[in-house]
Amino acid sequence: MGQQFSELSDKHSEFIAAQKIYFVATAAATGHVNLSPKGGDSLRVINSTTLAWLNLTGSGNESAAHVLQNSRMTLMFCDFAGAPLILRTYGDARVLHQTDPEWQQYCELFPTTVAARQIFVLDISLVQSSCGMSVPFFAYQGDRDALANWAEKKGKSGIEAYWYNRNQQSIDGFDTGIVERSGISAPEE
């Protein structure tokens, strides 16, 4: 049977810090629900009621579009190597872009990368643990470097052009705020 908590315990925070992958779920009032796997050194426990995660440039930008419409967000962590455990954090999120006043404060928590697109800050309202006894064992082999290599090759102007051309709308046509809130303009032809 699952247990519910109003905030993260020290044990929860240690569990989160040890995970190599986590999952983010968001949804607008209409359209598709988004569920994305995240990895690398991209998540921080700020305190017992706050998580922050770095969103790297990718093909979609669903979480940003959804949070602008509906701040609900769930992060899920699974133990794939040790004792069975699934931990979910539920709450309301806000999205930070490079021109936002809090950007630098949070950006300093993560490794520097040209691929940094947004930072999400989740204010936790509920933590739930469940057994995870049917979750299979998996062995961590390492992080992929394909995104980092791609981003470095593109450089800052190439990444901003990618945001302009590919990250302005969700798959349902919802605005992501990336152009306005990141201070970028149309790429030169």
Side-chain angles (χ1 to χ4, degrees):
M1 182 59 117
Q3 293 182 295
Q4 295 182 345
F5 309 88
S6 60
E7 62 186 20
L8 294 169
S9 67
D10 289 344
K11 185 177 177 182
H12 295 146
S13 295
E14 291 168 11
F15 174 73
I16 289 170
Q19 301 313 300
K20 301 296 185 187
I21 187 171
Y22 60 99
F23 303 86
V24 176
T26 58
T30 62
H32 296 83
V33 173
N34 187 59
L35 176 61
S36 294
K38 304 294 177 183
D41 190 9
S42 65
L43 184 115
R44 296 292 181 270
V45 176
I46 305 302
N47 57 47
S48 65
T49 58
T50 311
L51 296 174
W53 62 274
L54 176 64
N55 191 27
L56 301 175
T57 299
S59 57
N61 201 4
E62 303 307 299
S63 297
H66 290 167
V67 167
L68 289 177
Q69 290 191 23
N70 181 339
S71 62
R72 292 177 310 153
M73 180 180 283
T74 300
L75 271 63
M76 183 182 78
F77 308 87
C78 296
D79 198 328
F80 294 107
L85 176 63
I86 299 171
L87 188 71
R88 292 178 182 89
T89 59
Y90 301 89
D92 292 304
R94 63 189 191 283
V95 57
L96 302 177
H97 292 264
Q98 294 177 9
T99 60
D100 292 334
E102 293 178 282
W103 174 265
Q104 194 59 39
Q105 165 195 346
Y106 283 96
C107 190
E108 291 174 357
L109 301 174
F110 301 99
T112 302
T113 173
V114 70
R117 182 171 57 188
Q118 293 119 349
I119 296 171
F120 289 86
V121 180
L122 177 65
D123 296 318
I124 299 168
S125 58
L126 176 66
V127 176
Q128 181 176 327
S129 66
S130 56
C131 68
M133 289 191 284
S134 67
V135 174
F137 287 109
F138 282 99
Y140 174 72
Q141 295 180 358
D143 288 334
R144 296 175 192 256
D145 59 3
L147 178 62
N149 293 340
W150 172 83
E152 288 301 319
K153 185 177 178 182
K154 280 210 166 291
K156 185 177 183 342
S157 63
I159 291 292
E160 289 179 353
Y162 188 89
W163 293 348
Y164 190 90
N165 293 319
R166 307 272 313 261
N167 285 170
Q168 288 195 62
Q169 292 191 325
S170 73
I171 60 174
D172 294 311
F174 304 138
D175 184 36
T176 68
I178 190 92
V179 169
E180 301 82 18
R181 292 186 55 198
S182 294
I184 62 173
S185 54
E188 294 180 17
E189 300 288 326

